[in-house]
Amino acid sequence: DVKVTQSSRYLVKRTGEKVFLECVQDMDHENMFWYRQDPGLGLRLIYFSYDVKMKEKGDIPEGYSVSREKKERFSLILESASTNQTSMYLCASSTRVTGVDAFFGQGTRLTVV
Amino acid sequence: GENVEQHPSTLSVQEGDSAVIKCTYSDSASNYFPWYKQELGKGPQLIIDIRSNVGEKKDQRIAVTLNKTAKHFSLHITETQPEDSAVYFCAASIGTTDSWGKLQFGAGTQVVVTP
């Protein structure tokens, strides 16, 4: 089974802190994604990566950055956390062969106080 | 870019009845339409998908239909059971390597199946 693992289920951080969300997949997938999930808004794409050290902005990249130093790991970075970044964050991966069958992690519920 | 609208936002059904969720999309180039189920405390999980060269696809109690002319697609769940209670998301994608599999999601439908 494909496994996408996010390092934390719940995080509480203070305004202004630098926050790292980690995601690891074990299926040798080329593509990795970070989504943000908010009630009534569905899932919105923050950043994605289609190869090591490659990254592309999604629909809502402001206030975020990403890092992909190894194929299996994709990190989301909040440079200076703000209360409007309180949300559920979901990581996903997919193969380039199909490019579309995304497998999701269990999510990280981040609260910024 | 692609815009996906999903209705209804909440759906209550009696156990054994059918549930239908509808989505519309804006980009006629979209050619891949997956549906995800998200149970409480878990990430979304793919339950069924359809590609633009197919009009309908069934998998046991769930089916998806696609009308490319009207740019809408629907999820049908028959003989609903309490374990079908979850949030369901539709999505659309332009399935080429250039698109890198970017999915545009609908806002989600909370389905509640009451015994």
Side-chain angles (χ1 to χ4, degrees):
Chain A
D1 278 355
V2 174
K3 201 156 190 182
V4 179
T5 304
Q6 294 182 229
S7 55
S8 303
R9 292 295 302 272
Y10 301 95
L11 273 179
V12 180
K13 297 292 181 180
R14 295 196 178 277
T15 302
E17 274 193 80
K18 191 170 186 176
V19 181
F20 293 86
L21 303 183
E22 307 286 345
C23 175
V24 177
Q25 52 95 2
D26 65 0
M27 282 302 291
D28 202 35
H29 284 170
E30 293 84 4
N31 303 333
M32 295 189 75
F33 308 83
W34 275 105
Y35 288 90
R36 172 176 170 159
Q37 182 178 8
D38 298 290
L41 297 178
L43 280 69
R44 293 179 291 166
L45 183 63
I46 305 171
Y47 266 97
F48 67 104
S49 168
Y50 51 88
D51 204 347
V52 175
K53 297 191 186 294
M54 305 302 286
K55 60 185 179 184
E56 293 283 343
K57 292 180 180 179
D59 298 321
I60 51 165
E62 297 78 19
Y64 304 94
S65 62
V66 291
S67 172
R68 194 168 181 199
E69 296 296 319
K70 293 184 178 182
K71 190 175 185 181
E72 67 271 18
R73 187 179 297 269
F74 192 35
S75 301
L76 179 70
I77 304 155
L78 286 65
E79 297 290 342
S80 177
S82 64
T83 54
N84 63 12
Q85 292 178 309
T86 292
S87 187
M88 170 70 84
Y89 291 88
L90 290 161
C91 174
S93 71
S94 69
T95 68
R96 189 175 297 164
V97 173
T98 60
V100 288
D101 298 344
F103 294 87
F104 283 84
Q106 79 277 24
T108 296
R109 170 78 60 186
L110 173 66
T111 302
V112 182
V113 297
Chain B
E2 177 65 276
N3 182 48
V4 177
E5 293 192 0
Q6 182 172 348
H7 300 280
S9 56
T10 58
L11 181 59
S12 293
V13 295
Q14 288 286 121
E15 184 177 357
D17 288 350
S18 295
V20 180
I21 304 169
K22 299 183 179 182
C23 290
T24 60
Y25 62 98
S26 61
D27 192 336
S28 56
S30 291
N31 59 4
Y32 175 69
F33 307 92
W35 286 87
Y36 286 83
K37 176 183 181 182
Q38 185 177 28
E39 297 175 332
L40 199 61
K42 297 184 179 180
Q45 186 172 17
L46 180 72
I47 56 170
I48 195 168
D49 56 16
I50 191 167
R51 298 179 192 270
S52 60
N53 57 345
V54 176
E56 183 175 357
K57 184 176 178 181
K58 290 183 76 172
D59 183 3
Q60 299 182 345
R61 295 187 297 107
I62 60 173
V64 57
T65 59
L66 171 64
N67 183 327
K68 283 221 76 179
T69 303
K71 289 191 279 189
H72 66 71
F73 56 113
S74 300
L75 178 72
H76 303 252
I77 307 173
T78 58
E79 300 174 22
T80 53
Q81 300 169 5
E83 54 263 38
D84 294 328
S85 295
V87 179
Y88 292 80
F89 291 98
C90 63
S93 173
I94 301 171
T96 67
T97 52
D98 287 345
S99 72
W100 305 114
K102 287 193 294 181
L103 292 166
Q104 193 71 33
F105 284 86
T109 297
Q110 174 76 61
V111 173
V112 177
V113 180
T114 52

